[in-house]
C-alpha cells in the first residue's frame, strides 16, 4: 500500500475545473515532484491535500487514514506537514524561539507531563537539534524576520519538520532564491531523503531532476504522466509542453489540453 494516495480528486472554482480527477500516489521515503506550467493547479492541489480547501469529489489518504474532511491541524497530527512559504514564521521571535514554539505545538502534551524545567530543557535541546539538522545553528539567536530570504525558507522547512511528518509538502521551496541559496535548499531536501516522503512542487527543473524519484506532470488540472526522470525527459508530450521552447509552450499546452480533454 502506498503511503499517500489521491483518488479522483476534483475541485472547481465556479465553472473552472482546476483539479480534474487527479489520481496520485507517493511511496514511503519517496521524493515525488509535481511539475506543470503556471496555472496548472499545483497550489490548488497542495491546498486540497493540506486541508486549506475541500475537494468537490475524491479522497485524500495518508498511511491508511482518511484525511478528506479533516481540518488542516488534524492532518498535521496525522503526519502531514506543509511549508507555508514563510507565513508560519513569527518574524519578531528568534530562530530558537520559533523552533521551540513549533516543537511545543506538536509535542506540547508530552512536554507538559514534565516539570516545567525538564520540559524547557527538552524543548531547548529539541530546537538546537532541529537547527543543526537544517544548518540553522549559526542563526539560532537571530530575529527570524531579519534573516535573508533563503534562511527564512530554511526555517520554514525546519518548522514543518518539528511536526515529525510522514509526508512533507514543499510548494516551491526554491522560489526567489539565488543559486547559492538554491543549492543549500537542495542539499537540505536531499538530506531528508528516506526519513520521510516528500511531495515537491518546484519550477527549478535541475533541482527536480536531481531530487525526484518520480515526477508527475500536471497540465490544466490533469496528471498527464508520472514516471522517473528519464521517462519524463523522453516523453514527447512533456517535451512539447514543458521542457521545450518556452516561447512556444503556451500554444503547445493549449494543443495538449485539447488532446487530453
Ligand atoms: N481561489 C480561487 N478562486 C478562483 N480561481 C482560482 C482560485 N485559486 C486558483 N484559481 C485558478 O485556478 C487555476 C490554478 O491555479 P493554481 O493552483 O494557483 O496553479 P499553479 O500553482 O499550478 O500555478 C488558475 O487558473 C487560477 O487562476
Ligand atoms: Mg502555484
Amino acid at each position: 500500500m502506498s503511503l499517500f494516495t489521491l483518488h479522483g480528486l476534483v475541485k472547481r472554482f465556479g465553472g473552472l475545473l482546476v483539479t480534474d480527477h487527479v489520481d496520485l500516489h507517493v511511496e514511503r521515503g519517496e521524493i515525488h515532484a509535481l511539475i506543470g506550467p503556471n496555472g496548472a493547479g499545483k497550489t490548488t492541489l497542495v491546498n486540497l491535500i493540506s486541508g486549506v480547501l475541500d475537494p468537490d469529489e475524491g479522497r485524500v489518504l495518508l498511511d491508511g487514514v482518511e484525511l478528506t474532511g479533516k481540518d488542516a491541524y488534524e492532518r498535521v497530527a496525522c503526519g502531514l506537514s506543509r511549508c507555508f512559504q514563510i507565513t508560519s514564521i513569527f518574524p519578531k521571535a528568534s530562530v530558537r524561539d520559533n523552533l521551540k514554539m513549533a516543537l511545543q505545538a506538536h509535542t506540547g502534551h508530552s512536554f507538559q507531563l514534565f516539570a516545567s524545567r525538564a520540559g524547557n530543557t527538552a524543548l531547548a535541546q529539541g530546537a538546537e537539534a532541529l537547527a543543526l539538522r537544517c544548518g540553522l545553528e549559526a542563526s539560532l539567536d537571530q530575529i527570524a524576520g531579519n534573516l535573508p530570504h533563503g534562511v527564512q525558507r530554511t526555517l520554514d522547512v525546519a518548522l514543518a519538520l518539528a511536526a515529525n511528518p510522514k509526508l512533507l509538502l514543499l510548494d516551491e521551496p526554491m522560489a526567489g532564491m539565488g543559486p547559492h541559496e538554491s543549492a543549500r535548499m537542495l542539499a537540505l531536501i536531499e538530506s531528508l531523503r528516506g526519513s520521510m516522503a516528500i511531495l515537491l512542487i518546484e519550477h527549478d527543473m535541475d533541482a527536480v531532476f536531481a531530487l525526484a524519484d518520480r515526477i508527475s506532470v500536471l497540465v490544466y488540472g490533469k496528471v498527464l504522466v508520472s514516471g522517473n526522470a528519464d521517462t519524463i525527459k523522453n516523453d514527447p508530450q512533456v517535451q512539447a509542453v514543458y521542457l521545450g521552447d518556452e516561447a512556444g509552450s503556451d500554444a503547445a499546452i493549449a494543443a495538449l489540453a485539447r488532446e487530453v480533454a
Side-chain angles (χ1 to χ4, degrees):
M1 188 185 70
S2 299
L3 173 72
F4 178 73
T5 321
L6 300 179
H7 286 298
L9 217 57
V10 171
K11 183 68 186 176
R12 295 183 183 87
F13 288 122
L16 194 64
L17 187 55
V18 175
T19 307
D20 189 357
H21 299 87
V22 167
D23 294 313
L24 193 93
H25 62 99
V26 180
E27 303 305 321
R28 279 170 210 283
E30 180 184 27
I31 300 182
H32 193 115
L34 184 69
I35 65 171
N38 276 331
K42 302 180 296 295
T43 296
T44 301
L45 201 58
V46 168
N47 286 335
L48 292 170
I49 293 169
S50 59
V52 174
L53 291 172
D54 285 322
D56 295 314
E57 294 170 37
R59 301 173 69 195
V60 182
L61 289 151
L62 178 65
D63 211 5
V65 175
E66 179 88 52
L67 297 187
T68 331
K70 285 196 195 297
D71 287 333
Y73 75 90
E74 292 177 294
R75 296 182 195 214
V76 178
C78 291
L80 182 85
S81 257
R82 172 196 183 173
C83 282
F84 280 98
Q85 307 203 329
I86 301 179
T87 53
S88 56
I89 293 173
F90 290 100
K92 292 191 170 150
S94 68
V95 168
R96 188 188 303 278
D97 286 343
N98 266 278
L99 294 172
K100 283 168 78 172
M101 284 184 276
L103 285 168
Q104 188 150 42
H106 299 301
T107 52
H109 184 66
S110 55
F111 282 120
Q112 279 159 19
L113 294 177
F114 297 104
S116 64
R117 184 183 297 227
N120 267 324
T121 305
L123 265 185
Q125 286 173 347
E128 287 183 13
L130 199 48
L132 202 61
R133 186 180 187 190
C134 299
L136 288 168
E137 64 276 14
S139 308
L140 270 166
D141 294 310
Q142 309 260 352
I143 298 301
N146 295 342
L147 296 169
H149 175 74
V151 185
Q152 291 198 29
R153 299 300 304 252
T154 304
L155 176 57
D156 198 37
V157 174
L159 296 177
L161 293 178
N164 196 21
K166 295 173 183 172
L167 178 71
L168 178 66
L169 282 180
L170 297 171
D171 192 0
E172 299 190 25
M174 282 125 181
M177 287 189 173
H180 181 68
E181 289 179 322
S182 289
R184 284 193 56 178
M185 179 59 76
L186 192 146
L188 172 58
I189 297 169
E190 180 61 50
S191 76
L192 302 176
R193 185 188 298 280
S195 54
M196 67 198 67
I198 297 176
L199 185 58
L200 168 71
I201 292 157
E202 184 50 56
H203 276 298
D204 180 336
M205 295 305 290
D206 291 336
V208 165
F209 286 134
L211 287 167
D213 299 303
R214 281 193 308 137
I215 300 166
S216 291
V217 183
L218 199 69
V219 178
Y220 280 124
K222 270 190 180 163
V223 176
L224 179 65
V225 57
S226 291
N228 65 20
D230 283 341
T231 305
I232 298 301
K233 281 178 188 167
N234 294 320
D235 187 292
Q237 290 187 310
V238 175
Q239 284 175 354
V241 289
Y242 209 78
L243 306 172
D245 175 22
E246 285 291 331
S249 63
D250 282 351
I253 292 162
L256 181 73
R258 284 194 295 276
E259 212 171 289
V260 297

